[in-house]
Amino acid sequence: DAHEVRYRHQRLSYVVTGSLSLTIACVALVVWLWRRSEQVYLWMGVMQTFWTLYLAVVLSLDPWPGLGNHTMLLLNVLFFMLYAHCFLVFVFRYTGQHWPKVEWTAWGLLAIWVMSLLWGRAVSPWQAQMSLVWGVAVFNCGCLYAMYRGLRTRKPQQLLLGAVCAVMLVVALHDIVVALRYWDND
């Protein structure tokens, strides 16, 4: 049946992506442990860890032991938002930038939002959608900034990151439209 084939292909792509992300996270964190002054590896490792956790929740067929569906939804949006924020800081570190006020503001707003999610009994569909949009917005800001820095500095490694982010921006925009069910795409 065509649905079953699409379902298996999608799960396999998530499993492969999650495995690669976990591998990258482990390598980046080990490198950071050896060279603690290289903050870019810390943020790469943490970012990839949150992406792996996000995919693990997405791939779960049942709630994790001791957790209900509402907690799994909370973990899903939380891991995605943490991934996006870590990505933004990764871009800053990769491009040699430090924006303490922007970073503290972003993390502070995220903390307030997470407290609002924890305040209620369950994450509402509206809160889940807003969390997704928030994460995508922060991620897209990181991509746009990487593209800007690449074009501004013309350094090859920053141009490469900017080019990769341009592709990721297109994919992210596609994914948010599909995730919010504005477009039914396999």
Side-chain angles (χ1 to χ4, degrees), residues 63-77:
W64 295 347
L67 302 179
N69 288 333
H70 295 296
T71 305
M72 292 297 286
L73 177 59
L74 175 64
L75 289 176
N76 182 267
V77 298

mmCIF file with all atom_site columns, all heavy atoms in Angstrom, residues 63-77:
data_model
loop_
_atom_site.group_PDB
_atom_site.id
_atom_site.type_symbol
_atom_site.label_atom_id
_atom_site.label_alt_id
_atom_site.label_comp_id
_atom_site.label_asym_id
_atom_site.label_entity_id
_atom_site.label_seq_id
_atom_site.pdbx_PDB_ins_code
_atom_site.Cartn_x
_atom_site.Cartn_y
_atom_site.Cartn_z
_atom_site.occupancy
_atom_site.B_iso_or_equiv
_atom_site.pdbx_formal_charge
_atom_site.auth_seq_id
_atom_site.auth_comp_id
_atom_site.auth_asym_id
_atom_site.auth_atom_id
_atom_site.pdbx_PDB_model_num
ATOM 1   N N   . PRO A 1 63 ? 4.024  7.081  24.075 1.00 0.00 ? 63 PRO A N   1
ATOM 2   C CA  . PRO A 1 63 ? 4.729  7.950  25.020 1.00 0.00 ? 63 PRO A CA  1
ATOM 3   C C   . PRO A 1 63 ? 5.868  7.191  25.705 1.00 0.00 ? 63 PRO A C   1
ATOM 4   O O   . PRO A 1 63 ? 5.807  5.973  25.889 1.00 0.00 ? 63 PRO A O   1
ATOM 5   C CB  . PRO A 1 63 ? 3.651  8.334  26.034 1.00 0.00 ? 63 PRO A CB  1
ATOM 6   C CG  . PRO A 1 63 ? 2.359  8.137  25.314 1.00 0.00 ? 63 PRO A CG  1
ATOM 7   C CD  . PRO A 1 63 ? 2.594  6.993  24.369 1.00 0.00 ? 63 PRO A CD  1
ATOM 8   N N   . TRP A 1 64 ? 6.904  7.929  26.067 1.00 0.00 ? 64 TRP A N   1
ATOM 9   C CA  . TRP A 1 64 ? 8.021  7.313  26.770 1.00 0.00 ? 64 TRP A CA  1
ATOM 10  C C   . TRP A 1 64 ? 7.547  6.829  28.130 1.00 0.00 ? 64 TRP A C   1
ATOM 11  O O   . TRP A 1 64 ? 6.560  7.349  28.671 1.00 0.00 ? 64 TRP A O   1
ATOM 12  C CB  . TRP A 1 64 ? 9.162  8.306  26.921 1.00 0.00 ? 64 TRP A CB  1
ATOM 13  C CG  . TRP A 1 64 ? 9.782  8.712  25.608 1.00 0.00 ? 64 TRP A CG  1
ATOM 14  C CD1 . TRP A 1 64 ? 9.596  8.125  24.386 1.00 0.00 ? 64 TRP A CD1 1
ATOM 15  C CD2 . TRP A 1 64 ? 10.676 9.794  25.383 1.00 0.00 ? 64 TRP A CD2 1
ATOM 16  N NE1 . TRP A 1 64 ? 10.329 8.770  23.424 1.00 0.00 ? 64 TRP A NE1 1
ATOM 17  C CE2 . TRP A 1 64 ? 11.002 9.802  24.010 1.00 0.00 ? 64 TRP A CE2 1
ATOM 18  C CE3 . TRP A 1 64 ? 11.237 10.759 26.204 1.00 0.00 ? 64 TRP A CE3 1
ATOM 19  C CZ2 . TRP A 1 64 ? 11.861 10.741 23.451 1.00 0.00 ? 64 TRP A CZ2 1
ATOM 20  C CZ3 . TRP A 1 64 ? 12.096 11.692 25.645 1.00 0.00 ? 64 TRP A CZ3 1
ATOM 21  C CH2 . TRP A 1 64 ? 12.408 11.677 24.294 1.00 0.00 ? 64 TRP A CH2 1
ATOM 22  N N   . PRO A 1 65 ? 8.191  5.832  28.699 1.00 0.00 ? 65 PRO A N   1
ATOM 23  C CA  . PRO A 1 65 ? 7.751  5.277  29.998 1.00 0.00 ? 65 PRO A CA  1
ATOM 24  C C   . PRO A 1 65 ? 7.568  6.367  31.057 1.00 0.00 ? 65 PRO A C   1
ATOM 25  O O   . PRO A 1 65 ? 8.436  7.216  31.258 1.00 0.00 ? 65 PRO A O   1
ATOM 26  C CB  . PRO A 1 65 ? 8.896  4.335  30.384 1.00 0.00 ? 65 PRO A CB  1
ATOM 27  C CG  . PRO A 1 65 ? 9.522  3.952  29.080 1.00 0.00 ? 65 PRO A CG  1
ATOM 28  C CD  . PRO A 1 65 ? 9.387  5.163  28.198 1.00 0.00 ? 65 PRO A CD  1
ATOM 29  N N   . GLY A 1 66 ? 6.398  6.344  31.658 1.00 0.00 ? 66 GLY A N   1
ATOM 30  C CA  . GLY A 1 66 ? 6.082  7.283  32.720 1.00 0.00 ? 66 GLY A CA  1
ATOM 31  C C   . GLY A 1 66 ? 5.589  8.643  32.239 1.00 0.00 ? 66 GLY A C   1
ATOM 32  O O   . GLY A 1 66 ? 5.280  9.506  33.055 1.00 0.00 ? 66 GLY A O   1
ATOM 33  N N   . LEU A 1 67 ? 5.536  8.834  30.929 1.00 0.00 ? 67 LEU A N   1
ATOM 34  C CA  . LEU A 1 67 ? 5.102  10.114 30.388 1.00 0.00 ? 67 LEU A CA  1
ATOM 35  C C   . LEU A 1 67 ? 3.816  9.934  29.586 1.00 0.00 ? 67 LEU A C   1
ATOM 36  O O   . LEU A 1 67 ? 3.626  8.926  28.923 1.00 0.00 ? 67 LEU A O   1
ATOM 37  C CB  . LEU A 1 67 ? 6.174  10.714 29.467 1.00 0.00 ? 67 LEU A CB  1
ATOM 38  C CG  . LEU A 1 67 ? 7.552  10.943 30.079 1.00 0.00 ? 67 LEU A CG  1
ATOM 39  C CD1 . LEU A 1 67 ? 8.498  11.517 29.033 1.00 0.00 ? 67 LEU A CD1 1
ATOM 40  C CD2 . LEU A 1 67 ? 7.472  11.858 31.288 1.00 0.00 ? 67 LEU A CD2 1
ATOM 41  N N   . GLY A 1 68 ? 2.966  10.927 29.641 1.00 0.00 ? 68 GLY A N   1
ATOM 42  C CA  . GLY A 1 68 ? 1.729  10.885 28.873 1.00 0.00 ? 68 GLY A CA  1
ATOM 43  C C   . GLY A 1 68 ? 1.861  11.648 27.572 1.00 0.00 ? 68 GLY A C   1
ATOM 44  O O   . GLY A 1 68 ? 2.902  12.241 27.267 1.00 0.00 ? 68 GLY A O   1
ATOM 45  N N   . ASN A 1 69 ? 0.789  11.651 26.805 1.00 0.00 ? 69 ASN A N   1
ATOM 46  C CA  . ASN A 1 69 ? 0.774  12.347 25.514 1.00 0.00 ? 69 ASN A CA  1
ATOM 47  C C   . ASN A 1 69 ? 1.031  13.848 25.661 1.00 0.00 ? 69 ASN A C   1
ATOM 48  O O   . ASN A 1 69 ? 1.728  14.441 24.845 1.00 0.00 ? 69 ASN A O   1
ATOM 49  C CB  . ASN A 1 69 ? -0.557 12.126 24.800 1.00 0.00 ? 69 ASN A CB  1
ATOM 50  C CG  . ASN A 1 69 ? -0.688 10.712 24.282 1.00 0.00 ? 69 ASN A CG  1
ATOM 51  O OD1 . ASN A 1 69 ? 0.295  10.056 23.991 1.00 0.00 ? 69 ASN A OD1 1
ATOM 52  N ND2 . ASN A 1 69 ? -1.929 10.239 24.189 1.00 0.00 ? 69 ASN A ND2 1
ATOM 53  N N   . HIS A 1 70 ? 0.462  14.456 26.697 1.00 0.00 ? 70 HIS A N   1
ATOM 54  C CA  . HIS A 1 70 ? 0.638  15.900 26.887 1.00 0.00 ? 70 HIS A CA  1
ATOM 55  C C   . HIS A 1 70 ? 2.103  16.230 27.193 1.00 0.00 ? 70 HIS A C   1
ATOM 56  O O   . HIS A 1 70 ? 2.631  17.235 26.705 1.00 0.00 ? 70 HIS A O   1
ATOM 57  C CB  . HIS A 1 70 ? -0.287 16.418 27.990 1.00 0.00 ? 70 HIS A CB  1
ATOM 58  C CG  . HIS A 1 70 ? -1.732 16.291 27.652 1.00 0.00 ? 70 HIS A CG  1
ATOM 59  N ND1 . HIS A 1 70 ? -2.302 16.974 26.596 1.00 0.00 ? 70 HIS A ND1 1
ATOM 60  C CD2 . HIS A 1 70 ? -2.718 15.557 28.203 1.00 0.00 ? 70 HIS A CD2 1
ATOM 61  C CE1 . HIS A 1 70 ? -3.590 16.668 26.524 1.00 0.00 ? 70 HIS A CE1 1
ATOM 62  N NE2 . HIS A 1 70 ? -3.868 15.803 27.487 1.00 0.00 ? 70 HIS A NE2 1
ATOM 63  N N   . THR A 1 71 ? 2.749  15.391 27.980 1.00 0.00 ? 71 THR A N   1
ATOM 64  C CA  . THR A 1 71 ? 4.165  15.607 28.290 1.00 0.00 ? 71 THR A CA  1
ATOM 65  C C   . THR A 1 71 ? 5.019  15.414 27.039 1.00 0.00 ? 71 THR A C   1
ATOM 66  O O   . THR A 1 71 ? 5.982  16.155 26.815 1.00 0.00 ? 71 THR A O   1
ATOM 67  C CB  . THR A 1 71 ? 4.629  14.654 29.411 1.00 0.00 ? 71 THR A CB  1
ATOM 68  O OG1 . THR A 1 71 ? 3.772  14.827 30.540 1.00 0.00 ? 71 THR A OG1 1
ATOM 69  C CG2 . THR A 1 71 ? 6.068  14.932 29.813 1.00 0.00 ? 71 THR A CG2 1
ATOM 70  N N   . MET A 1 72 ? 4.654  14.456 26.213 1.00 0.00 ? 72 MET A N   1
ATOM 71  C CA  . MET A 1 72 ? 5.400  14.238 24.971 1.00 0.00 ? 72 MET A CA  1
ATOM 72  C C   . MET A 1 72 ? 5.263  15.451 24.041 1.00 0.00 ? 72 MET A C   1
ATOM 73  O O   . MET A 1 72 ? 6.231  15.852 23.397 1.00 0.00 ? 72 MET A O   1
ATOM 74  C CB  . MET A 1 72 ? 4.920  12.968 24.271 1.00 0.00 ? 72 MET A CB  1
ATOM 75  C CG  . MET A 1 72 ? 5.254  11.683 25.015 1.00 0.00 ? 72 MET A CG  1
ATOM 76  S SD  . MET A 1 72 ? 7.021  11.377 25.193 1.00 0.00 ? 72 MET A SD  1
ATOM 77  C CE  . MET A 1 72 ? 7.443  10.899 23.526 1.00 0.00 ? 72 MET A CE  1
ATOM 78  N N   . LEU A 1 73 ? 4.068  16.039 23.983 1.00 0.00 ? 73 LEU A N   1
ATOM 79  C CA  . LEU A 1 73 ? 3.881  17.241 23.178 1.00 0.00 ? 73 LEU A CA  1
ATOM 80  C C   . LEU A 1 73 ? 4.735  18.380 23.725 1.00 0.00 ? 73 LEU A C   1
ATOM 81  O O   . LEU A 1 73 ? 5.387  19.108 22.972 1.00 0.00 ? 73 LEU A O   1
ATOM 82  C CB  . LEU A 1 73 ? 2.408  17.653 23.138 1.00 0.00 ? 73 LEU A CB  1
ATOM 83  C CG  . LEU A 1 73 ? 2.088  18.949 22.388 1.00 0.00 ? 73 LEU A CG  1
ATOM 84  C CD1 . LEU A 1 73 ? 2.532  18.882 20.927 1.00 0.00 ? 73 LEU A CD1 1
ATOM 85  C CD2 . LEU A 1 73 ? 0.607  19.263 22.500 1.00 0.00 ? 73 LEU A CD2 1
ATOM 86  N N   . LEU A 1 74 ? 4.757  18.525 25.054 1.00 0.00 ? 74 LEU A N   1
ATOM 87  C CA  . LEU A 1 74 ? 5.584  19.558 25.675 1.00 0.00 ? 74 LEU A CA  1
ATOM 88  C C   . LEU A 1 74 ? 7.055  19.334 25.338 1.00 0.00 ? 74 LEU A C   1
ATOM 89  O O   . LEU A 1 74 ? 7.766  20.279 24.970 1.00 0.00 ? 74 LEU A O   1
ATOM 90  C CB  . LEU A 1 74 ? 5.390  19.556 27.193 1.00 0.00 ? 74 LEU A CB  1
ATOM 91  C CG  . LEU A 1 74 ? 6.291  20.513 27.974 1.00 0.00 ? 74 LEU A CG  1
ATOM 92  C CD1 . LEU A 1 74 ? 5.994  21.957 27.601 1.00 0.00 ? 74 LEU A CD1 1
ATOM 93  C CD2 . LEU A 1 74 ? 6.126  20.293 29.470 1.00 0.00 ? 74 LEU A CD2 1
ATOM 94  N N   . LEU A 1 75 ? 7.529  18.098 25.446 1.00 0.00 ? 75 LEU A N   1
ATOM 95  C CA  . LEU A 1 75 ? 8.917  17.799 25.110 1.00 0.00 ? 75 LEU A CA  1
ATOM 96  C C   . LEU A 1 75 ? 9.202  18.101 23.637 1.00 0.00 ? 75 LEU A C   1
ATOM 97  O O   . LEU A 1 75 ? 10.257 18.629 23.291 1.00 0.00 ? 75 LEU A O   1
ATOM 98  C CB  . LEU A 1 75 ? 9.248  16.339 25.416 1.00 0.00 ? 75 LEU A CB  1
ATOM 99  C CG  . LEU A 1 75 ? 9.348  15.968 26.888 1.00 0.00 ? 75 LEU A CG  1
ATOM 100 C CD1 . LEU A 1 75 ? 9.579  14.461 27.033 1.00 0.00 ? 75 LEU A CD1 1
ATOM 101 C CD2 . LEU A 1 75 ? 10.438 16.757 27.585 1.00 0.00 ? 75 LEU A CD2 1
ATOM 102 N N   . ASN A 1 76 ? 8.256  17.768 22.786 1.00 0.00 ? 76 ASN A N   1
ATOM 103 C CA  . ASN A 1 76 ? 8.424  18.012 21.357 1.00 0.00 ? 76 ASN A CA  1
ATOM 104 C C   . ASN A 1 76 ? 8.663  19.486 21.070 1.00 0.00 ? 76 ASN A C   1
ATOM 105 O O   . ASN A 1 76 ? 9.640  19.852 20.407 1.00 0.00 ? 76 ASN A O   1
ATOM 106 C CB  . ASN A 1 76 ? 7.189  17.501 20.614 1.00 0.00 ? 76 ASN A CB  1
ATOM 107 C CG  . ASN A 1 76 ? 7.293  17.674 19.127 1.00 0.00 ? 76 ASN A CG  1
ATOM 108 O OD1 . ASN A 1 76 ? 6.849  18.682 18.597 1.00 0.00 ? 76 ASN A OD1 1
ATOM 109 N ND2 . ASN A 1 76 ? 7.856  16.694 18.458 1.00 0.00 ? 76 ASN A ND2 1
ATOM 110 N N   . VAL A 1 77 ? 7.796  20.351 21.570 1.00 0.00 ? 77 VAL A N   1
ATOM 111 C CA  . VAL A 1 77 ? 7.956  21.782 21.298 1.00 0.00 ? 77 VAL A CA  1
ATOM 112 C C   . VAL A 1 77 ? 9.164  22.347 22.037 1.00 0.00 ? 77 VAL A C   1
ATOM 113 O O   . VAL A 1 77 ? 9.879  23.208 21.507 1.00 0.00 ? 77 VAL A O   1
ATOM 114 C CB  . VAL A 1 77 ? 6.670  22.585 21.599 1.00 0.00 ? 77 VAL A CB  1
ATOM 115 C CG1 . VAL A 1 77 ? 5.532  22.132 20.707 1.00 0.00 ? 77 VAL A CG1 1
ATOM 116 C CG2 . VAL A 1 77 ? 6.269  22.531 23.054 1.00 0.00 ? 77 VAL A CG2 1
#
